[in-house]
């Protein structure tokens, strides 16, 4: 089965009410994502269908039906309420990809609280800034991650509860900790909080160039976009076995790794273990995965592992492949066509947009290397960087711009309305990327319009890495840029000047690396530190990352007229 239809027809007759009607939602109704993803599917008589098939690195397996989702998320909601947590409270999910993470999100939403997922690899400093900014009341986590919280607890007055989902007597509970067992606390009934379209649902933190990470605030109405984009772009049907490889610490893992698939009633599979080509192919074969949503870095890693290994598995179950997060090079598309018999279709969006914006719509002609066209209902173009007027001539590079108003659009940056307002120019929402549009209306990604580094699909703020480097006693100044990398597209590189009295040595390098490793996530770790005598600066004293970046990428340096030491 498939949902594929003509792009032209869909774009012509499009209205978001198509999604509202399918979901049985009318303006002004109660809309709660937690309910839509579990109770509604059960009410349709599909409670016995598998919703989640889960496996971890030791081969342990678990499975949950839609009725299990319903009663387990009810149990979580009731437990959170018993702690005094309520609508509007920020509750953080800080876990590996265990079932409690996925179902916990539904439980939080069911009581009207705001879910704040954070990637479990975050170090204590990365965790601190995000929990402090959100004024988070509770964190749901595992024993192995709780120690990071205890290090920063003193500085987080709003944090009242640390909920441990894998408690056992070998480790006594510590300050503010409570034990909770999801499987033991199933509950048939729960009064679901009557959230409306504009009630806040999720807070996802994303990195910018200058300030601290920004909390992207979404609402329950985002479901309207997530549901229909998943149906039409990911082409999910009820018969599919769907695998989204993204971690719910990031928006792909929530929009399309929890909300959309479960609102569509599909069976999804989750692999909670590290990457290896063999392991991934084995997983696809074992669960008979049909629809696969992944990312360019993973695809490039699979390419590197080679074609021979693909032949050892029966992957004939696959029928539809989609990619997101970074530029998907044309070679990756042709390679996947060759080895899987199916091209990966690119999709473009971001944390702020909440749902897919530009994509190689299934059924339409694919141009390998292009991101495709706007999703129906999305008005997108490229504009002039000075005037913010659409560029009329096809092929000219400009800034991507969208007309605001699609359902999954963020509603603000948490406690940072000013930065949010700054994302709009001349009536357009500016995602901060550059592209060109060809005469057929296909978008071709050029690059970001800021210094944010996209390493393996994860955005890293140079500012955040620089700030942590500066905390080290030997570091005087630092500038963080990207450098090219075969698999991850780009990786983090730091330039550092040392304070007087410190000299470059292997020991110092190791010490600095260890110092920052504890504070950042593994993704944000510099792959290289280059020690320099001085950093290029503007006359006003601002470090010019642009110059260092150009050097790493072998690009033209461009206008240096504002340089201090040129
Ligand atoms: C940024 C958003 C929502 C997806 C997960 C990342 C880059 C995203 C593509 C693509 C080239 C892409 C953009 C975007 N990006 N998709 N198909 N081709 N670049 O969400 O962390 O908010 O990152 O990732 O630069 O703005 P995110």
């Amino acid at each position: 089965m498939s949902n594929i239809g003509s792009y032209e027809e869909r774009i012509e007759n499009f209205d978001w009410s198509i999604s509202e009607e399918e979901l049985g939602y009318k303006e002004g109704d109660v809309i709660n994502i937690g309910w839509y993803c579990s109770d509604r599917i059960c009410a349709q008589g599909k409670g016995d269908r598998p919703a989640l098939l889960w496996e971890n690195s030791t081969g342990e397996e678990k499975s949950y039906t839609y009725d299990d989702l319903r009663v387990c998320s009810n149990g979580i909601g009731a437990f959170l309420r018993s702690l005094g947590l309520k609508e509007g409270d920020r509750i953080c999910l800080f876990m590996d990809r265990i079932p409690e993470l996925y179902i916990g999100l539904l439980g939080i939403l069911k009581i009207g609280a705001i879910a704040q997922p954070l990637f479990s690899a975050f170090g204590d400093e990365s965790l601190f800034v995000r929990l402090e900014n959100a004024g988070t009341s509770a964190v749901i986590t595992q024993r192995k991650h709780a120690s990071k919280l205890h290090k920063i607890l003193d500085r987080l007055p709003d944090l009242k509860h640390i909920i441990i989902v894998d408690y056992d007597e070998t480790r006594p509970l510590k300050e503010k900790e409570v034990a909770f067992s999801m499987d033991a606390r199933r509950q048939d009934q729960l009064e679901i909080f009557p959230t409306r379209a504009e009630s806040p649902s999720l807070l996802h933190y994303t990195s910018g160039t200058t300030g601290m990470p920004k909390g992207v605030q979404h609402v329950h109405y985002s479901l309207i976009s997530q549901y229909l984009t998943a149906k039409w772009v990911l082409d999910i049907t009820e018969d599919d076995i769907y695998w989204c490889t993204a971690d719910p610490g990031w928006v792909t893992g929530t929009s399309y790794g929890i909300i959309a698939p479960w609102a569509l009633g599909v069976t999804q599979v989750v692999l909670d273990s590290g990457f290896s080509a063999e392991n991934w192919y084995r997983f696809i074969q074992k669960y008979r995965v049909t629809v696969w949503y992944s990312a360019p870095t993973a695809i490039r890693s699979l390419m590197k592992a080679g074609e021979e290994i693909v032949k050892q598995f029966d992957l004939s179950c696959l029928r539809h492949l989609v990619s997101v997060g970074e530029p998907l090079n044309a070679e990756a598309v042709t390679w996947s066509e060759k080895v899987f018999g199916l091209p990966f279709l690119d999709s473009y969006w971001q944390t702020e947009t909440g749902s897919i914006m530009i994509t190689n719509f299934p059924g339409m002609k694919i141009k390998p290397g292009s991101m495709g066209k706007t999703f129906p209902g999305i008005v997108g173009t490229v504009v002039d960087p000075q005037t913010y007027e659409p560029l009329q001539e096809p092929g000219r590079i400009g800034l991507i711009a969208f007309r605001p108003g699609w359902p999954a659009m963020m509603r603000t940056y948490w406690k940072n309305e000013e930065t949010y307002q700054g994302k709009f120019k001349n009536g357009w929402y500016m995602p901060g990327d550059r592209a060109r549009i060809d005469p057929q209306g296909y978008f071709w990604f050029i690059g970001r319009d800021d210094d944010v580094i996209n390493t393996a699909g994860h955005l890293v703020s140079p500012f955040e890495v620089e700030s942590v480097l500066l905390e080290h006693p030997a570091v005087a100044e630092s500038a963080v840029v990207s450098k090219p990398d075969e698999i991850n597209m780009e990786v983090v590189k730091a330039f550092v000047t040392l304070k007087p009295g410190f000299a470059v040595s292997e020991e110092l390098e190791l010490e600095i690396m260890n110092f920052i490793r504890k504070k950042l996530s593994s993704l944000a770790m510099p792959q290289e530190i280059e020690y320099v005598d001085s950093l290029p600066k503007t006359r006003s004293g601002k470090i010019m990352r642009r110059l260092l970046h150009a050097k790493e990428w072998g690009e033209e340096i461009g206008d240096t007229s504002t340089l201090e030491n040129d």
Side-chain angles (χ1 to χ4, degrees):
M1 254 178 53
S2 157
N3 304 314
I4 296 177
S6 144
Y7 178 70
E8 284 71 27
E9 249 171 59
R10 282 189 170 158
I11 210 157
E12 203 172 313
N13 302 316
F14 189 80
D15 193 284
W16 288 110
S17 63
I18 297 171
S19 185
E20 294 183 346
E21 271 163 36
E22 287 193 20
L23 287 163
Y25 167 82
K26 282 189 309 310
E27 200 182 334
D29 282 356
V30 166
I31 175 170
N32 187 297
I33 290 176
W35 180 83
Y36 267 98
C37 291
S38 54
D39 300 61
R40 178 170 182 265
I41 307 293
C42 295
Q44 293 172 338
K46 299 170 188 164
D48 292 338
R49 277 174 186 249
L52 174 65
L53 305 176
W54 174 90
E55 191 182 296
N56 72 2
S57 55
T58 63
E60 191 190 344
E61 294 174 43
K62 286 184 181 177
S63 73
Y64 294 83
T65 63
Y66 275 93
D67 199 56
D68 292 329
L69 291 191
R70 186 180 68 79
V71 295
C72 288
S73 58
N74 282 351
I76 292 171
F79 179 75
L80 296 172
R81 271 194 187 136
S82 75
L83 295 176
L85 296 161
K86 57 175 193 325
E87 66 276 9
D89 287 345
R90 277 76 62 207
I91 303 178
C92 169
L93 293 154
F94 185 55
M95 281 175 272
D96 295 347
R97 283 178 231 179
I98 56 174
E100 285 83 350
L101 169 57
Y102 295 76
I103 303 172
L105 186 111
L106 305 189
I108 293 171
L109 297 179
K110 279 186 171 181
I111 65 160
I114 305 174
Q116 181 193 12
L118 290 178
F119 189 41
S120 64
F122 275 141
D124 45 295
E125 206 51 41
S126 300
L127 196 57
F128 171 73
V129 293
R130 290 159 175 84
L131 293 176
E132 186 195 40
N133 180 263
T136 311
S137 307
V139 181
I140 309 179
T141 190
Q142 293 160 278
R143 281 173 294 171
K144 67 171 173 185
H145 296 305
S147 61
K148 292 183 208 165
L149 289 162
H150 287 288
K151 277 193 207 146
I152 54 177
L153 209 51
D154 293 353
R155 294 189 282 152
L156 293 169
D158 295 324
L159 185 58
K160 298 189 184 64
H161 309 284
I162 300 174
I163 300 160
I164 305 286
V165 295
D166 59 350
Y167 169 76
D168 79 10
E169 13 342 292
T170 59
R171 178 188 170 284
L173 290 173
K174 298 187 182 162
E175 190 187 351
K176 300 201 175 174
E177 288 184 355
V178 278
F180 172 76
S181 162
M182 183 175 81
D183 291 315
R185 179 116 185 204
R186 290 160 182 252
Q187 188 166 314
D188 193 53
Q189 299 294 325
L190 178 82
E191 200 181 310
I192 294 175
F193 187 83
T195 45
R196 307 272 163 176
E198 294 304 308
S199 306
S201 55
L202 264 85
L203 202 52
H204 263 298
Y205 277 77
T206 188
S207 299
T209 328
T210 46
M212 280 298 164
K214 297 164 288 188
V216 176
Q217 194 215 293
H218 288 290
V219 294
H220 282 262
Y221 191 62
S222 68
L223 174 68
I224 303 299
S225 296
Q226 289 150 349
Y227 169 87
L228 201 65
T229 48
K231 185 167 175 183
W232 287 359
V233 177
L234 304 178
D235 190 29
I236 295 176
T237 71
E238 279 182 354
D239 308 328
D240 281 306
I241 303 289
Y242 169 70
W243 186 27
C244 169
T245 61
D247 189 293
W250 313 101
V251 73
T252 309
T254 54
S255 287
Y256 297 104
I258 300 181
I259 301 171
W262 283 346
L264 279 152
V266 73
T267 299
Q268 71 159 330
V269 292
V270 168
L271 177 59
D272 181 20
S273 81
F275 175 84
S276 92
E278 212 153 17
N279 201 18
W280 275 31
Y281 294 145
R282 178 200 58 77
F283 188 72
I284 292 170
Q285 172 181 278
K286 177 174 170 187
Y287 290 95
R288 310 299 301 151
V289 172
T290 58
V291 178
W292 186 17
Y293 196 23
S294 199
T297 290
I299 301 163
R300 286 190 291 267
S301 306
L302 295 174
M303 284 169 79
K304 199 169 176 206
E307 275 169 56
E308 276 314 300
I309 177 167
V310 183
K311 295 184 188 140
Q312 296 164 21
F313 299 88
D314 173 11
L315 306 180
S316 58
C317 46
L318 290 172
R319 72 164 188 87
H320 187 51
L321 320 180
V322 188
S323 164
V324 66
E326 320 152 63
L328 179 67
N329 23 339
E331 303 84 75
V333 179
T334 34
W335 179 82
S336 90
E337 205 155 14
K338 186 163 148 230
V339 302
F340 304 126
L342 298 162
F344 263 97
L345 307 196
D346 198 7
S347 68
Y348 164 95
W349 55 293
Q350 52 173 201
T351 309
E352 287 88 337
T353 69
S355 62
I356 295 169
M357 302 298 281
I358 298 174
T359 183
N360 282 281
F361 206 78
M364 124 189 149
K365 180 179 178 303
I366 295 165
K367 294 195 186 185
S370 154
M371 303 195 291
K373 299 192 189 192
T374 45
F375 185 82
I378 302 295
V379 180
T381 188
V382 293
V383 298
D384 180 284
Q386 262 86 46
T387 62
Y388 300 102
E389 289 298 334
L391 296 171
Q392 301 303 338
E393 223 178 295
R396 276 189 57 202
I397 295 172
L399 299 176
I400 300 180
F402 297 113
R403 276 273 177 254
W406 65 96
M409 169 71 182
M410 69 164 161
R411 295 308 197 259
T412 190
Y413 288 124
W414 190 256
K415 292 201 276 190
N416 199 348
E417 180 68 16
E418 201 184 321
T419 308
Y420 172 73
Q421 291 301 342
K423 297 289 284 188
F424 298 89
K425 300 274 191 280
N426 194 24
W428 298 99
Y429 167 71
M430 307 297 300
D433 289 309
R434 287 179 294 133
R436 60 183 174 82
I437 304 177
D438 72 15
Q440 286 77 42
Y442 286 72
F443 284 70
W444 297 77
F445 187 79
I446 301 291
R448 287 197 56 99
D449 188 45
D450 58 21
D451 293 336
V452 170
I453 300 165
N454 187 339
T455 178
H458 299 291
L459 300 191
V460 172
S461 154
F463 175 79
E464 216 180 339
V465 181
E466 287 160 6
S467 308
V468 169
L469 276 164
L470 288 179
E471 284 176 35
H472 190 277
V475 175
E477 289 177 314
S478 76
V480 166
V481 296
S482 67
K483 68 169 195 176
D485 182 82
E486 195 196 339
I487 298 290
N488 298 302
M489 197 75 177
E490 47 187 42
V491 290
V492 178
K493 173 167 179 179
F495 289 86
V496 158
T497 64
L498 294 177
K499 283 186 187 157
F502 289 94
V504 181
S505 70
E506 262 178 45
E507 292 82 63
L508 182 65
E509 160 113 14
L510 197 66
E511 198 194 298
I512 294 176
M513 284 289 200
N514 283 336
F515 178 81
I516 59 178
R517 183 169 290 121
K518 291 200 197 88
K519 295 175 179 278
L520 296 166
S521 90
S522 49
L523 299 166
M525 278 299 288
Q527 299 296 301
E528 184 191 344
I529 298 184
E530 186 174 328
Y531 297 90
V532 288
D533 294 333
S534 68
L535 292 170
K537 291 196 194 107
T538 60
R539 288 188 209 286
S540 61
K542 213 171 139 224
I543 293 170
M544 288 190 86
R545 294 192 193 107
R546 188 164 59 87
L547 282 188
L548 299 166
H549 180 273
K551 198 177 124 232
E552 292 305 313
W553 291 78
E555 289 164 358
E556 288 286 314
I557 286 175
D559 179 20
T560 57
S561 54
T562 53
L563 256 191
E564 173 200 75
N565 41 0
D566 59 351

